[in-house]
Amino acid sequence: MNSALSASTPIAVIGAGAMGAGIAQVAASAGHPVKLLDNRPGAAAQAVQGIAAQLNRLAEKGKLTAQAAQDTSARLSAAAQLSDLADCGLIIEAIVEDLQSKRKLFLDLEAIVSKDCILASNTSSISITAIGAVLAQPGRLAGLHFFNPAPLMALVEIVSGLGTEREIAERLFASAAAWGKTPVHTRSTPGFIVNRVARPYYAEGLRLLQEGAADPATMDACMREAGGFRMGPFELMDLIGHDVNFSVTRSVWNAFFNDQRFLPSLIQQELVDAGFLGRKNGRGFYDYREGAAAPTPKTEPQSQAMAALKTARVVVCGESAAAQALSSRLQSAGVASTAGPSQDGRIAEVLGAVLYVTDGRTATRRAAAQSDRNVVLIDLALDYSKAKRLAISVADQCAADAAAAAIGLLQAAGYAVSRFSDVPGLAVMRTVAMLANEAADAVNQGVCDVPSVDAAMRLGVNYPVGPLAWADQIGLGRVREVLGHLADSYGEDRYRISPLIQQRAYAGKGFHV
Ligand code: NAI
């Protein structure tokens, strides 16, 4: 039974809000007759009209033929009551996010539909197991978790509760694929895949802010311009809305019995308390009110040491991605450098300064552990050859002229340099290591497999690379080292290393090889 539902199978979507309307559009575009039902009078008919208008706009833009828009609209109708849905082969619920409301709806549906009708919930946070517990046939209920806006976002999480029959999950998987989506299987655990694995993206940003690492605009710029993320964590939280983002964090944290990994942030609590909810009401981390100045990242001014670089001995050490990119960027800028060895992971030496990519220790701790005191750390970049900006930190023991030389060298190589306070792991490295750690735990705990978590994070939240593929690229030994150093620095359970990262790193294996 694990083939896709045939396109002639009637489908119903209950709840004609933002998600329900989007899901109805997806199913109708794939050829299904779709009925929309909402308990708010007129809402379903209004949604049907809204979808038709949306399809016409797509046709005007040439993304769809006028005929296809018309045919798709003709397949959509508003239903008046639950009993109108008796002939449906699949019913997708997208009503209010409340367990009792969802349970009641599915119980009422069971009394109406045929025994082989599949029931699905679009819930983003409620346990499918808990919804199904009250049903006579819990095996036919699964989560079908679309992302907003459903017509545009490719990812669909197919969520299996304890009672969900495998065949039902497979059938939904095949159907979502037939609708042009990229489905992934996940077990019904808190946050499923995306809302769980994405938590560190916000949490590490908030933690760094709390520790005064840098201001939001500077961290956002580093996450975009070095990390390759489409939006930095602060602008993204402002867009999502702090009320929504904070409540998802709290719900995942509560659902994991207050696991420190998911600890909510006092900073975000305060924004919610203040009513600074983000873009939607004009103020969050940033000020969106008319006339407010656009946020600008802090960038080091042109280093005094730039002139001295012309005659200085610049050594680029080793063959790491950071060193190779530095060497070729310096060459393009006409700055001569020589190649040198890198026994201790250093990537460059200039005028007494030694540069390393962060390994999760502070620069000060690293300097204390070795004879070279003039330690300058650079952050991770997705691609050092293309990155526009790098975060750096400087050891407390580092002489000012050595720090200026290191900054000048990076500037000569074309990087905008943002100096952070000397925090462990800087921004991109620390965040990516924690994303990979959570992704690895999800795999280790049987929530999903490796390709699914990577696909989910690329397609559900637009990460430039899946977190486990990224961990492979960094090297699992390095990721484990970064996490270990974060754990030492903070002594908190939050930074405990996933057993799967440990295991694969010891085995000398990556996740994808
Ligand atoms: P919404 O508030 O825009 O729409 C919900 C609709 O359901 C409303 O039109 C309401 O009148 C109707 N409704 C409420 N109770 C009903 C009932 N018992 N019977 C029939 N209709 C009922 O909400 P939205 O954002 O579309 O979310 C719907 C579901 O999708 C929730 O479970 C939510 O967690 C989930 N979801 C939301 C996402 C989002 O980004 N908004 C993303 C993924 C999932």
Side-chain angles (χ1 to χ4, degrees), residues 14-20 38-40 93-97 102 122-124 145-146 148:
I14 307 183
M19 292 309 294
D38 199 290
N39 67 359
R40 196 159 35 92
E93 164 279 308
I95 66 165
V96 60
E97 187 73 340
K102 289 185 194 286
N122 185 51
T123 180
S124 43
H145 184 214
F146 286 82
N148 192 12

